Amino acid sequence: MSVPVNLGRAVAKSDEIYPLQASRFYPKEQWYVGAYKSELVEGQTLARTIFGERVIFFRGEGGKATAVSNLCVHRFMPLDEGKIVDGRLVCPYHGYAYGEDGRCVHVPTGGAPSPHARLRHYPVREDGPFVWIWTGSVEGAGEVDIPDLTDIGLSDASDGWTTAVAERLHMQARAPLLVDNLFDLSHIAFIHVDSLPGAGGLAMIPPMFDRKSDRFRVGRYVPNFVAKPDTVIGDTMPMIVGQPVYAALLTDFYSPAVINSSGPWANELVDGDQPGESIAKLNFVHLITPETENSTHYFNVVTRDYHPDDESLSARLIAQTDRVRREDVGWLEQIEKIADRMSAKGEISSKADEGSLKVRRHLRSIIEAELAVSAAE
Ligand code: FES
Ligand SMILES: [Fe+2]
C-alpha cells in the first residue's frame, strides 16, 4: 500500500512544469550539443533521443555530420541498426537508402522513391569538440547562431586553450533542475564536501549577480585568496599555491544549452584588493541537452589556458568533474521523483537564490516568446 505524502502548499498547476511556468518544458528554438565530435565515427550511426524526438546522427559523404529522424518512412523501422554505405543511411529492414538531407534516394525493389519519402532533417554544425543540433523550427535555425564559446576555449576560433572531454552522463531528471544546481554553488559545501576539499568555504561566500545582455553571471570574488597545496584548487592550479591572488568563482549562463563554472579564474592582485593580469583560467563547462521532459543528456568539458601538455592534470580534472557531476545527478534524480507534484510557488528561497531565480525567469521568458511565435503562425 502506498503511503500518502504531505506536500504542504506545493500543489502543481496543470499549466505548470516545475520549476517553470509554461507549457513547454525547456527552450526549444535553440542549438544544443547533440554529441561529442569524437562520438560520431564515419561509417557508424549514433542514435539519441533529443526533446523527445528520436534522432540518428551519422557522417555523410566527405565525413560531414548530419542528423535525421530515426524512423524509416517505409514501415517505421528504427534506424539505429542502419548501415552507412557511401555516406548514405540504409534501413536494415528493406534497404531504403537516405541521403544526408534525409531524402530517400534508393528503393531496392525498384521505382523512383516517392518525393514524400524523406526523413526529417535537423540542422547540424560542428564547432570545438561538439556536434550541435538545432531542435527548433527549420526557419529558426538561420536566425540564431550557436553560442559563442570562444572566450572559454570551445570554438574552432579559440586559441591557447587545452580541452579535456568528460563523459556524457544520462540524468533521469529534467533540465531546469540542473540549471538550478549550477546557479546555487552553496551545495558544494554539502553534496561535494568530500570530492572538492577546500572549495566549500569559497562557495559559501555571498554571490553577486550581473547581467550583460543575455549573459547572466553569478560571481563570488575573493581578493587575497591563497590556495593551499592540499586542496582541490591547489592541486589543479599549482601556479597559485601559497601566493595571494584575486580569485573569481563564476557561473555564466551562455544559453539554455551552456553554463560555465569557472574553477576559478585567478588574477594577479593589485592595490591590495583589485584584479590585475590574468594568471590562469580554468572552466568546467556544462552542456545541457533535454532528452525528454524528465531526462537530460549532461555533457561536460574542462578547459584551461595553462599547462597544455600536462596529461596527468587533464586526467585529474576529468576524474574530478565526473565524480562531482555524478553526485549532482544522483541528488537531482531524487528531486525528479517528486517534481511532478511540486510547484515553484511552494518553494521558500533565500537571498543567495537571486541569481538562479533570475535565470529561471529568463528561461521562462524565452519559452513564452517561443510559444507566442508558434501560436501566431
Ligand atoms: S522499414 Fe525501412 S525499408 Fe522497410
Ligand atoms: Fe554540483
Side-chain angles (χ1 to χ4, degrees), residues 181 187 192 324 328:
N181 171 276
H187 77 265
H192 307 310
V324 165
D328 287 315

Side-chain angles (χ1 to χ4, degrees), residues 72-74 88-89 95-99 101-108 112-119:
C72 180
V73 299
H74 179 219
R88 294 169 173 177
L89 172 61
Y96 276 35
Y98 298 93
D101 60 357
R103 204 182 297 268
C104 180
V105 291
H106 180 63
V107 174
S114 157
H116 302 295
R118 60 184 308 169
L119 306 169

Side-chain angles (χ1 to χ4, degrees), residues 48-62:
R48 194 150 280 168
T49 297
I50 296 175
F51 258 96
E53 294 170 23
R54 297 176 60 134
V55 178
I56 194 138
F57 293 89
F58 64 100
R59 292 197 179 277
E61 244 175 309

Side-chain angles (χ1 to χ4, degrees), residues 72 74-77 91 93-96 98:
C72 180
H74 179 219
R75 291 295 178 266
F76 305 135
M77 176 60 79
C91 176
Y93 199 6
H94 312 100
Y96 276 35
Y98 298 93

Side-chain angles (χ1 to χ4, degrees), residues 37-293:
K37 234 184 227 180
S38 54
E39 290 183 287
L40 222 53
V41 178
E42 260 186 76
Q44 294 180 16
T45 57
L46 176 71
R48 194 150 280 168
T49 297
I50 296 175
F51 258 96
E53 294 170 23
R54 297 176 60 134
V55 178
I56 194 138
F57 293 89
F58 64 100
R59 292 197 179 277
E61 244 175 309
K64 191 166 162 269
T66 192
V68 292
S69 53
N70 184 6
L71 280 184
C72 180
V73 299
H74 179 219
R75 291 295 178 266
F76 305 135
M77 176 60 79
L79 296 162
D80 302 40
E81 308 293 327
K83 296 247 178 318
I84 306 300
V85 180
D86 298 332
R88 294 169 173 177
L89 172 61
V90 180
C91 176
Y93 199 6
H94 312 100
Y96 276 35
Y98 298 93
E100 38 189 83
D101 60 357
R103 204 182 297 268
C104 180
V105 291
H106 180 63
V107 174
T109 45
S114 157
H116 302 295
R118 60 184 308 169
L119 306 169
R120 176 178 171 187
H121 173 254
Y122 295 84
V124 161
R125 289 208 212 145
E126 291 190 76
D127 194 33
F130 308 121
V131 178
W132 295 89
I133 181 169
W134 174 259
T135 54
S137 58
V138 177
E139 315 79 58
E143 292 169 15
V144 180
D145 211 345
I146 56 174
D148 182 359
L149 307 180
T150 312
D151 68 333
I152 47 174
L154 282 174
S155 91
D156 291 342
S158 300
D159 202 21
W161 290 87
T162 300
T163 300
V165 176
E167 199 180 319
R168 176 186 62 93
L169 298 182
H170 180 261
M171 182 173 82
Q172 197 59 55
R174 62 197 65 192
L177 294 182
L178 190 48
V179 179
D180 275 355
N181 171 276
L182 293 166
F183 269 91
D184 185 357
L185 293 187
S186 64
H187 77 265
I188 288 177
F190 300 91
I191 288 181
H192 307 310
V193 66
D194 294 329
S195 43
L196 295 177
L202 272 184
M204 294 302 280
I205 292 170
M208 290 165 70
F209 178 78
D210 189 21
R211 176 178 184 172
K212 284 194 187 74
S213 177
D214 281 352
R215 189 77 66 86
F216 291 83
R217 167 170 287 178
V218 168
R220 291 171 168 84
Y221 303 94
V222 196
N224 270 307
F225 174 73
V226 181
K228 294 183 186 148
D230 56 348
T231 60
V232 68
I233 295 175
D235 176 51
T236 53
M237 301 184 92
M239 76 292 284
I240 64 167
V241 169
Q243 60 158 318
V245 298
Y246 187 99
L249 205 63
L250 309 169
T251 305
D252 282 324
F253 177 97
Y254 282 77
S255 85
V258 187
I259 293 171
N260 180 43
S261 306
S262 74
W265 288 0
N267 285 56
E268 287 172 1
L269 192 61
V270 294
D271 299 334
D273 61 356
Q274 295 299 309
E277 290 290 306
S278 172
I279 300 170
K281 287 181 177 168
L282 176 62
N283 299 299
F284 295 88
V285 190
H286 307 272
L287 297 310
I288 302 167
T289 304
E291 180 190 51
T292 67
E293 187 176 320

